[in-house]
Amino acid sequence: MLSLELSRISVSYPGLLSPVLDIPSLAIAAGSRIAVTGASGSGKSTLVSILTGLERCAAGGSIRWGDADIAGMSERGRDRWRGAHIGLIMQDFHLFPGLSAVDNILLPARLSRAMKPGDPDRALMLLYAVGLCRADQKIETMSRGEMQRVAIARALLRKPGVLIADEPTASLDSESGDAVARLLIDLSVSNESTLIVVSHDPRLTGQLDRRITLSAGRVASDRAHREKAA
Amino acid sequence: MTRFILADLRRLWAGSLVIVLLIAFATALGVAVTLQERALRLGSARAADRFDLVVGAPGSETQLLLSSVFLQPSPLPLMPGNVLGKLAADPRVAWAAPVGFGDSFSGYPIVGTSTALTTNLSALKEGRVFSKAGEAVIGAGVTLPLGYEVKPTHGLAALGGETHTELAYRITGRMAATGTSWDRAILVPIQSVWNLHGMGGHADEHDHAAEAHHAEDPGHEDHAGGHGHGHVDPDAPLDENWTAEAPGLPAILVKPKTIADAYKLRQDYRGNGTLAVFPGEVLTNLYATLGDAKRVLSAVAVGAQILVAAAVLMVTVMHIGQRRRQIGALRAFGAPQSAVLAIVWLELFILIALGILFGFAIGYGAAMMLSAMFSGESGIVLPVGFIRDDLKSVAAIVLFSAMLALAPALLAYRQSPAAALRA
């Protein structure tokens, strides 16, 4: 479970006058469940890239997860840190065809040479937890809802301190979307992960503790959203 | 990682197969050219190796070599018959055998010679050496049974030669394989060839009608009525006491006693109506021409390989472009840059290595097939084989392709995962 402190975050692209993301400071408590919303182009994806260390912010900014400031890390260091601490779930899954469900779950750990002896068992356990039982089913034969559940299991394999989901329900029908939303929240609780969800889906964002709304790269509103939890 | 790469290659099997085949054929082209040229060089050198010195009438050295050693049918000028007697009596000569051509039987050349050759060229595998005018010994590659009666055709049957009816040779022996053109020859006593063509040396008319093979006979125009066929008694005993009256001869194969003798003999028999050549030396000149041809073929092969390398590189760079998102996702899930580099590099390198492997197999097979076809026609065994130096070229090719495969891998390595995911 990791807390987050952002300060002086600014991301600009050459040719654009104003920065696509400009956040002077933002703090998220460890274990909280945050929704990030905003119109398209408001900087949500850039924020995900910054939080996961996929993208660098301008010099002077800091991205402090727990004790680690990933803004100062090397590319290799950020890759390693991300693999160990962040579980990432994306709108279009990014599962790898040709591999089975369980192989997909284990792939990032294998590629990072970070496999632990218990990981295959944990992968099966997670697969069961997201409601799937055919571990060796090829990924391309699954429905979209099932794929997103495999993606959730993959994100949780290495017990990440943070779970970040980028539009996890946007490409699913409402029934699968509900299931995925429920799984995300339940599993982040049981795995003691901080949860950050970028989403337009009110059924998902409505169940989270706090909602940050971005507009033109800035935080437009930030309020607690307690009434629905319970 | 292995599982991921295999799954990836399986998923893209059609494109992968095309790349492997492209590389295989480009490699095979180069391999086949190299192997075939080497086989031709080695095979002809080995075939000529058994003949130390060839003496013939002045003319083309290459033609003399091709006709006497490789038994290519072609008109050779004749030298005086007394040369044979002189050579046979020369103390520096281990053995000297006359060669007279002109007839054939179902595609096999019939070569008139003496027992000196049939006993010295190679051991007999079965039967015995000819001892009468009407007997013959066949090379290992002639598919006729012992005891078979061979009716010689004048010239080549394919060219409309007439059949000699005066004489049929009975096959009495078969030689062991020599890997030379002589494996396809039917060897008969040269007296019979002379007699059959109306040139019966000391026995018959002394007209020296040098007509053994439609040669333009220098100066001997006194031969009336086409080629008069003499009578040949198949049971006549052999007379190998070569006298000064022996008819003209196209070539004599000579085995000198020592290397020094060989050089002296060559010197002595150049000029005065004869031409002595070392087959090896003539071959070396031929190889120079062959080498030029090989250089052209190699250039074509290298050109094809460069084109294929460029095509493969282009395809992979485009492929990396299409896989940007997948590679970005790998990075996003925590795969280190080195893993991405290794995956892209390995995938391409596996394909290239497979292509090279198949290419060598195909090239080897093609060279074997060509050699077998050539051997069937000429009797010369062309040994197709790799040599130690080939390992070096394989290593060079593999190293080069490893570097080539690094280009798209570096492209993937440097790609920003955030930008790739946005694409």
mmCIF file of all heavy atoms in Angstrom, chain B residues 63-85:
data_model
loop_
_atom_site.group_PDB
_atom_site.id
_atom_site.type_symbol
_atom_site.label_atom_id
_atom_site.label_comp_id
_atom_site.label_asym_id
_atom_site.label_seq_id
_atom_site.Cartn_x
_atom_site.Cartn_y
_atom_site.Cartn_z
ATOM 1 N N GLN B 63 42.117 -28.474 -76.101
ATOM 2 C CA GLN B 63 41.401 -29.491 -76.863
ATOM 3 C C GLN B 63 42.020 -30.857 -76.634
ATOM 4 O O GLN B 63 41.316 -31.850 -76.470
ATOM 5 C CB GLN B 63 41.458 -29.117 -78.357
ATOM 6 C CG GLN B 63 40.381 -29.797 -79.163
ATOM 7 C CD GLN B 63 39.008 -29.465 -78.613
ATOM 8 O OE1 GLN B 63 38.616 -28.305 -78.601
ATOM 9 N NE2 GLN B 63 38.304 -30.453 -78.127
ATOM 10 N N LEU B 64 43.346 -30.896 -76.599
ATOM 11 C CA LEU B 64 44.056 -32.151 -76.361
ATOM 12 C C LEU B 64 43.663 -32.733 -75.011
ATOM 13 O O LEU B 64 43.377 -33.926 -74.886
ATOM 14 C CB LEU B 64 45.573 -31.893 -76.413
ATOM 15 C CG LEU B 64 46.499 -33.099 -76.223
ATOM 16 C CD1 LEU B 64 46.212 -34.155 -77.273
ATOM 17 C CD2 LEU B 64 47.948 -32.667 -76.253
ATOM 18 N N LEU B 65 43.597 -31.845 -74.002
ATOM 19 C CA LEU B 65 43.239 -32.288 -72.651
ATOM 20 C C LEU B 65 41.801 -32.784 -72.619
ATOM 21 O O LEU B 65 41.514 -33.863 -72.099
ATOM 22 C CB LEU B 65 43.427 -31.128 -71.676
ATOM 23 C CG LEU B 65 42.932 -31.396 -70.259
ATOM 24 C CD1 LEU B 65 44.010 -32.096 -69.472
ATOM 25 C CD2 LEU B 65 42.524 -30.118 -69.572
ATOM 26 N N LEU B 66 40.901 -31.994 -73.193
ATOM 27 C CA LEU B 66 39.478 -32.339 -73.145
ATOM 28 C C LEU B 66 39.229 -33.673 -73.845
ATOM 29 O O LEU B 66 38.443 -34.490 -73.379
ATOM 30 C CB LEU B 66 38.637 -31.241 -73.803
ATOM 31 C CG LEU B 66 38.522 -29.944 -73.006
ATOM 32 C CD1 LEU B 66 37.697 -28.917 -73.776
ATOM 33 C CD2 LEU B 66 37.881 -30.208 -71.650
ATOM 34 N N SER B 67 39.926 -33.900 -74.969
ATOM 35 C CA SER B 67 39.683 -35.117 -75.734
ATOM 36 C C SER B 67 40.307 -36.326 -75.071
ATOM 37 O O SER B 67 39.691 -37.383 -74.981
ATOM 38 C CB SER B 67 40.255 -34.966 -77.146
ATOM 39 O OG SER B 67 39.515 -34.002 -77.842
ATOM 40 N N SER B 68 41.542 -36.195 -74.597
ATOM 41 C CA SER B 68 42.240 -37.385 -74.113
ATOM 42 C C SER B 68 41.868 -37.712 -72.676
ATOM 43 O O SER B 68 41.648 -38.868 -72.345
ATOM 44 C CB SER B 68 43.751 -37.173 -74.226
ATOM 45 O OG SER B 68 44.142 -36.062 -73.440
ATOM 46 N N VAL B 69 41.787 -36.697 -71.812
ATOM 47 C CA VAL B 69 41.522 -36.955 -70.399
ATOM 48 C C VAL B 69 40.026 -37.007 -70.126
ATOM 49 O O VAL B 69 39.534 -37.863 -69.401
ATOM 50 C CB VAL B 69 42.196 -35.885 -69.518
ATOM 51 C CG1 VAL B 69 41.784 -36.060 -68.068
ATOM 52 C CG2 VAL B 69 43.701 -35.972 -69.648
ATOM 53 N N PHE B 70 39.273 -36.083 -70.745
ATOM 54 C CA PHE B 70 37.835 -36.020 -70.460
ATOM 55 C C PHE B 70 36.999 -36.646 -71.575
ATOM 56 O O PHE B 70 35.780 -36.622 -71.516
ATOM 57 C CB PHE B 70 37.420 -34.571 -70.210
ATOM 58 C CG PHE B 70 38.102 -33.989 -69.006
ATOM 59 C CD1 PHE B 70 39.038 -32.985 -69.130
ATOM 60 C CD2 PHE B 70 37.827 -34.479 -67.737
ATOM 61 C CE1 PHE B 70 39.682 -32.478 -68.026
ATOM 62 C CE2 PHE B 70 38.473 -33.970 -66.629
ATOM 63 C CZ PHE B 70 39.402 -32.967 -66.765
ATOM 64 N N LEU B 71 37.687 -37.202 -72.610
ATOM 65 C CA LEU B 71 37.029 -37.961 -73.666
ATOM 66 C C LEU B 71 35.891 -37.197 -74.337
ATOM 67 O O LEU B 71 34.841 -37.762 -74.638
ATOM 68 C CB LEU B 71 36.524 -39.308 -73.115
ATOM 69 C CG LEU B 71 37.624 -40.225 -72.564
ATOM 70 C CD1 LEU B 71 37.024 -41.518 -72.033
ATOM 71 C CD2 LEU B 71 38.665 -40.529 -73.628
ATOM 72 N N GLN B 72 36.072 -35.893 -74.499
ATOM 73 C CA GLN B 72 35.088 -35.110 -75.237
ATOM 74 C C GLN B 72 35.304 -35.381 -76.727
ATOM 75 O O GLN B 72 36.414 -35.212 -77.229
ATOM 76 C CB GLN B 72 35.307 -33.611 -74.977
ATOM 77 C CG GLN B 72 35.076 -33.203 -73.547
ATOM 78 C CD GLN B 72 33.634 -33.380 -73.155
ATOM 79 O OE1 GLN B 72 32.747 -32.899 -73.818
ATOM 80 N NE2 GLN B 72 33.411 -34.123 -72.079
ATOM 81 N N PRO B 73 34.258 -35.792 -77.434
ATOM 82 C CA PRO B 73 34.453 -36.066 -78.848
ATOM 83 C C PRO B 73 34.732 -34.766 -79.608
ATOM 84 O O PRO B 73 33.938 -33.829 -79.538
ATOM 85 C CB PRO B 73 33.114 -36.674 -79.283
ATOM 86 C CG PRO B 73 32.140 -36.252 -78.255
ATOM 87 C CD PRO B 73 32.885 -35.997 -76.987
ATOM 88 N N SER B 74 35.868 -34.721 -80.245
ATOM 89 C CA SER B 74 36.191 -33.567 -81.074
ATOM 90 C C SER B 74 37.354 -33.976 -81.963
ATOM 91 O O SER B 74 38.140 -34.844 -81.613
ATOM 92 C CB SER B 74 36.588 -32.376 -80.209
ATOM 93 O OG SER B 74 37.767 -32.690 -79.514
ATOM 94 N N PRO B 75 37.436 -33.374 -83.141
ATOM 95 C CA PRO B 75 38.500 -33.764 -84.046
ATOM 96 C C PRO B 75 39.849 -33.258 -83.557
ATOM 97 O O PRO B 75 40.013 -32.080 -83.273
ATOM 98 C CB PRO B 75 38.114 -33.084 -85.361
ATOM 99 C CG PRO B 75 37.213 -31.973 -84.973
ATOM 100 C CD PRO B 75 36.561 -32.346 -83.675
ATOM 101 N N LEU B 76 40.784 -34.179 -83.409
ATOM 102 C CA LEU B 76 42.147 -33.784 -83.022
ATOM 103 C C LEU B 76 43.064 -34.018 -84.206
ATOM 104 O O LEU B 76 42.886 -34.991 -84.949
ATOM 105 C CB LEU B 76 42.639 -34.660 -81.867
ATOM 106 C CG LEU B 76 42.305 -34.280 -80.436
ATOM 107 C CD1 LEU B 76 43.057 -35.216 -79.498
ATOM 108 C CD2 LEU B 76 42.677 -32.849 -80.145
ATOM 109 N N PRO B 77 44.041 -33.169 -84.404
ATOM 110 C CA PRO B 77 45.038 -33.468 -85.436
ATOM 111 C C PRO B 77 45.847 -34.688 -85.005
ATOM 112 O O PRO B 77 45.916 -35.008 -83.815
ATOM 113 C CB PRO B 77 45.908 -32.214 -85.466
ATOM 114 C CG PRO B 77 45.703 -31.567 -84.139
ATOM 115 C CD PRO B 77 44.317 -31.924 -83.699
ATOM 116 N N LEU B 78 46.428 -35.371 -85.963
ATOM 117 C CA LEU B 78 47.179 -36.583 -85.632
ATOM 118 C C LEU B 78 48.679 -36.305 -85.644
ATOM 119 O O LEU B 78 49.165 -35.434 -86.354
ATOM 120 C CB LEU B 78 46.873 -37.682 -86.652
ATOM 121 C CG LEU B 78 45.410 -38.058 -86.807
ATOM 122 C CD1 LEU B 78 45.280 -39.256 -87.743
ATOM 123 C CD2 LEU B 78 44.785 -38.367 -85.466
ATOM 124 N N MET B 79 49.377 -37.069 -84.835
ATOM 125 C CA MET B 79 50.847 -36.990 -84.875
ATOM 126 C C MET B 79 51.358 -38.308 -85.484
ATOM 127 O O MET B 79 50.627 -39.301 -85.528
ATOM 128 C CB MET B 79 51.401 -36.784 -83.480
ATOM 129 C CG MET B 79 51.140 -37.949 -82.558
ATOM 130 S SD MET B 79 51.608 -37.558 -80.895
ATOM 131 C CE MET B 79 50.458 -38.559 -79.989
ATOM 132 N N PRO B 80 52.581 -38.304 -85.931
ATOM 133 C CA PRO B 80 53.116 -39.522 -86.566
ATOM 134 C C PRO B 80 53.072 -40.701 -85.612
ATOM 135 O O PRO B 80 53.284 -40.554 -84.399
ATOM 136 C CB PRO B 80 54.567 -39.143 -86.880
ATOM 137 C CG PRO B 80 54.609 -37.659 -86.854
ATOM 138 C CD PRO B 80 53.550 -37.199 -85.922
ATOM 139 N N GLY B 81 52.820 -41.896 -86.149
ATOM 140 C CA GLY B 81 52.677 -43.079 -85.317
ATOM 141 C C GLY B 81 53.962 -43.505 -84.644
ATOM 142 O O GLY B 81 53.933 -44.192 -83.628
ATOM 143 N N ASN B 82 55.107 -43.106 -85.192
ATOM 144 C CA ASN B 82 56.365 -43.582 -84.617
ATOM 145 C C ASN B 82 56.633 -42.990 -83.231
ATOM 146 O O ASN B 82 57.451 -43.487 -82.481
ATOM 147 C CB ASN B 82 57.539 -43.294 -85.565
ATOM 148 C CG ASN B 82 57.710 -41.796 -85.784
ATOM 149 O OD1 ASN B 82 56.887 -41.009 -85.305
ATOM 150 N ND2 ASN B 82 58.753 -41.409 -86.493
ATOM 151 N N VAL B 83 55.917 -41.911 -82.885
ATOM 152 C CA VAL B 83 56.108 -41.287 -81.559
ATOM 153 C C VAL B 83 55.804 -42.294 -80.455
ATOM 154 O O VAL B 83 56.494 -42.357 -79.442
ATOM 155 C CB VAL B 83 55.219 -40.043 -81.400
ATOM 156 C CG1 VAL B 83 55.410 -39.418 -80.037
ATOM 157 C CG2 VAL B 83 55.510 -39.040 -82.504
ATOM 158 N N LEU B 84 54.783 -43.108 -80.689
ATOM 159 C CA LEU B 84 54.374 -44.088 -79.677
ATOM 160 C C LEU B 84 55.499 -45.079 -79.403
ATOM 161 O O LEU B 84 55.837 -45.362 -78.249
ATOM 162 C CB LEU B 84 53.108 -44.813 -80.137
ATOM 163 C CG LEU B 84 52.564 -45.891 -79.205
ATOM 164 C CD1 LEU B 84 52.266 -45.307 -77.824
ATOM 165 C CD2 LEU B 84 51.326 -46.535 -79.788
ATOM 166 N N GLY B 85 56.107 -45.584 -80.480
ATOM 167 C CA GLY B 85 57.196 -46.531 -80.331
ATOM 168 C C GLY B 85 58.369 -45.911 -79.585
ATOM 169 O O GLY B 85 58.944 -46.522 -78.674
#
